[in-house]
Amino acid sequence: MKVLITGGAGFLGSHLCDLFIKKGHSVIAMDNLITGNMENIDHLAGNKNFRFIHHNVTEFMFIPGKLDAILHFASPASPIDYLNLPIQTLKVGSLGTHKALGLAKEKKAIFLLASTSEVYGDPLVNPQKETYWGNVNPIGPRGVYDEAKRFAEALTMAYHRFHGVDVKIVRIFNTFGPRMRKNDGRVVPNFIDQALKGEPLTVFGDGSQTRSFCYVSDMVEGIYRLLLSNTNEPVNIGNQEEMTVLEFAKLIKKITRTKSKIEFRDLPIDDPKVRQPNIALAKKLINWEPKISVEEGLNRTIKWFLKNK
Ligand code: UDP
């Protein structure tokens, strides 16, 4: 296959580039580098199956020749990033998704949208199934990301129903691993960075809110399988190992053997109280479930952080 990956220099995008190259496909990575980083794909430079295009996906794009699939992964994805880049986040989810879908239609390519557990907002049911419609505050600070992704899902389904584009929608739950930016503000890089420096781990609120963390190699394998599947419905991909943020802080302390203390800070507005994927659909449709435990994933990630300080 020849595939286009928007956001190809980002955390998930770059791991997808690696996976597609490893499986023998040809990859064009596109990124405007506002949160992506060339270091994530430096190692692919010179590979005859790899090309990078510095471009903002919200502007018209011209790609000569055939394309078999487009994976639309461009977007700020950490709460800190999308709070700092609210308009860009709305634009890439709406205008960027429109451009990428238009290209998929033109090339008769499969279109895969990177959606998110944030479409469930602050969920009133736990774990979340794909059939749950969510509980989102449209005008809150997180609304710029949540509503952009919800609009992107709606647009994707409209292109499927109206234009017959073969679409896939992956709802990605918290994912972590090497290449997360130390300062991207998410809990995994924050706690690891703080623990390695011996600084206090900053737990927001009382730490009773839950998350379920998936290691990146499991995530990209699930996305790959979904791309090759027959389904056009949204599918959750994530690890079901749910824990509170306070438990997570203690786990990081145990693994890193840091002397860091735990400090409590204000809870961000609209921070979801619970989050856990129901992955029955992924198991059934694409025979996927995570293989790497949170602890094993953290060991690998911490090793990478130590090497890339
Ligand atoms: N969080 C925290 N300390 C931090 C960063 C995040 O306690 O230094 C909390 C945050 O409030 C949320 C959870 O950890 O409840 C996960 O946050 P993250 O930013 O990683 O992503 P989210 O799941 O909220 O999109």
Side-chain angles (χ1 to χ4, degrees):
M1 286 191 292
K2 185 172 169 198
V3 306
L4 170 68
I5 302 176
T6 77
F11 165 52
L12 282 181
S14 66
H15 282 282
L16 281 168
C17 290
D18 287 344
L19 184 72
F20 278 86
I21 293 285
K22 199 175 99 195
K23 297 207 188 249
H25 305 294
S26 152
V27 173
I28 303 174
M30 180 179 283
D31 209 297
N32 69 351
L33 302 175
I34 60 169
T35 59
N37 184 349
M38 285 305 283
E39 281 178 15
N40 291 338
I41 48 173
D42 265 354
H43 59 285
L44 294 173
N47 186 313
K48 68 179 189 341
N49 289 324
F50 183 76
R51 217 181 113 200
F52 175 73
I53 303 179
H54 188 188
H55 184 77
N56 182 337
V57 67
T58 64
E59 312 282 348
F60 180 80
M61 40 186 166
F62 175 73
I63 308 277
K66 76 156 194 168
L67 266 186
D68 299 295
I70 298 175
L71 294 95
H72 184 39
F73 275 71
S75 178
S78 115
I80 296 275
D81 285 341
Y82 55 75
L83 299 185
N84 286 334
L85 301 163
I87 317 280
Q88 287 96 326
T89 302
L90 282 158
K91 281 177 75 180
V92 74
S94 53
L95 306 179
T97 303
H98 185 221
K99 292 283 180 300
L101 275 163
L103 187 63
K105 174 175 155 246
E106 166 71 22
K107 302 280 184 189
K108 297 187 171 45
I110 307 170
F111 177 81
L112 185 144
L113 173 69
S115 186
T116 166
S117 55
E118 282 283 323
V119 300
Y120 303 121
D122 185 3
L124 304 176
V125 296
N126 197 40
Q128 294 80 50
K129 271 191 199 168
E130 290 84 351
T131 46
Y132 178 51
W133 290 354
N135 177 41
V136 172
N137 175 1
I139 57 163
R142 294 175 90 101
V144 298
Y145 184 65
D146 302 8
E147 296 296 3
K149 290 292 188 181
R150 288 169 69 96
F151 175 87
E153 287 199 7
L155 193 62
T156 299
M157 290 312 290
Y159 266 70
H160 172 59
R161 295 195 183 106
F162 193 74
H163 290 307
V165 176
D166 185 5
V167 302
K168 320 286 162 192
I169 298 175
V170 55
R171 291 192 179 145
I172 297 168
F173 282 67
N174 294 65
T175 303
F176 71 99
R179 301 185 192 153
M180 288 187 103
R181 283 171 17 241
K182 242 191 314 214
N183 58 351
D184 92 349
R186 285 184 276 196
V187 70
V188 178
N190 265 14
F191 283 1
I192 292 178
D193 190 45
Q194 291 162 344
L196 296 181
K197 288 182 179 149
E199 292 170 359
L201 306 196
T202 53
V203 169
F204 297 165
D206 63 4
S208 63
Q209 68 276 29
T210 69
R211 293 294 186 274
S212 312
F213 298 101
C214 183
Y215 189 64
V216 65
S217 60
D218 282 328
M219 178 56 61
V220 293
E221 176 63 27
I223 292 165
Y224 186 78
R225 288 191 195 185
L226 182 64
L227 182 76
L228 302 182
S229 77
N230 294 322
T231 188
N232 300 119
E233 301 296 318
V235 177
N236 289 339
I237 301 279
N239 190 317
Q240 289 179 296
E241 245 182 285
E242 184 183 25
M243 60 186 86
T244 68
V245 168
L246 189 56
E247 285 166 350
F248 186 63
K250 288 178 182 160
L251 179 61
I252 297 275
K253 273 174 60 99
K254 187 187 101 184
I255 297 177
T256 57
R257 296 193 203 97
T258 180
K259 292 198 171 68
S260 296
K261 296 195 174 54
I262 290 178
E263 269 182 23
F264 294 90
R265 301 276 161 86
D266 288 346
L267 189 67
I269 299 170
D270 293 337
D271 198 279
K273 285 180 266 312
V274 289
R275 182 179 291 155
Q276 187 196 16
N278 176 315
I279 55 167
L281 199 60
K283 281 186 189 158
K284 186 176 115 191
L285 294 178
I286 55 174
N287 189 27
W288 177 87
E289 61 183 325
K291 294 200 171 68
I292 310 284
S293 68
V294 175
E295 197 156 341
E296 170 58 22
L298 282 174
N299 283 328
R300 295 184 192 187
T301 309
I302 290 163
K303 217 186 249 172
W304 183 85
F305 267 75
L306 281 169
K307 252 206 249 146
N308 292 272
K309 254 192 249 176

